[in-house]
Amino acid sequence: MIRLSTFAAPLVLAAFCATAAVAGPAEDLARSRIDAVAGGDLAAVTSAYGPGATLHWVGGPLDGSYAAPDAIKQVWSKFFTAQGAQKASVAALSEAANPKGATVTADVAFAGKSTVKVRYVLVYRDGKLVDEIWQVNPAAAY
């Protein structure tokens, strides 16, 4: 019979119970998107949308809902011009998924000419972004 020391038993138990954090496909897409937004990559940002996608920008000077591809492109162009070079800091990110699609929510601060804190909600179906909410959240503590 093998006896584990008082010290070793919790380590063995922790090893059996530990699970690796694995990002799902939508989380990977969202992280890439956040990087593209921070990098001002208009082509990458606009190519992620699926047919009929909608961008809801809530708050700030770009407030509104945009569904036409040209209108969405203009909004992002304005944001990139206003922000200049920027970095993104992700405070929290989570994914919920099922076979029909996935939703990612993230708290992100985009720091460029100014710091824009957002609650970011991205809805994906078949690997394409179909609904996006950019909730400006200036009072956030992240």
Side-chain angles (χ1 to χ4, degrees), residues 33 35-49 69-81:
R33 181 165 191 78
D35 290 343
V37 170
D41 188 342
L42 185 60
V45 169
T46 56
S47 69
Y49 292 105
D70 287 342
I72 292 171
K73 185 176 182 178
Q74 284 181 344
V75 168
W76 284 115
S77 292
K78 288 178 184 177
F79 179 71
F80 296 150
T81 298

Side-chain angles (χ1 to χ4, degrees), residues 65-126:
S65 292
Y66 307 90
D70 287 342
I72 292 171
K73 185 176 182 178
Q74 284 181 344
V75 168
W76 284 115
S77 292
K78 288 178 184 177
F79 179 71
F80 296 150
T81 298
Q83 279 294 91
Q86 55 185 341
K87 292 185 179 183
S89 299
V90 178
L93 189 142
S94 71
E95 174 185 3
N98 64 43
K100 297 291 185 178
T103 301
V104 176
T105 58
D107 292 329
V108 185
F110 292 91
K113 291 178 184 173
S114 64
T115 297
V116 181
K117 296 176 183 176
V118 298
R119 166 66 53 90
Y120 208 177
V121 180
L122 304 114
V123 178
Y124 291 95
R125 290 185 184 268
D126 298 321

Side-chain angles (χ1 to χ4, degrees), residues 15-57:
F16 284 124
C17 295
T19 58
V22 178
E27 181 177 332
D28 293 340
L29 290 170
R31 287 188 184 278
S32 292
R33 181 165 191 78
I34 290 166
D35 290 343
V37 170
D41 188 342
L42 185 60
V45 169
T46 56
S47 69
Y49 292 105
T54 302
L55 166 62
H56 304 278
W57 199 291

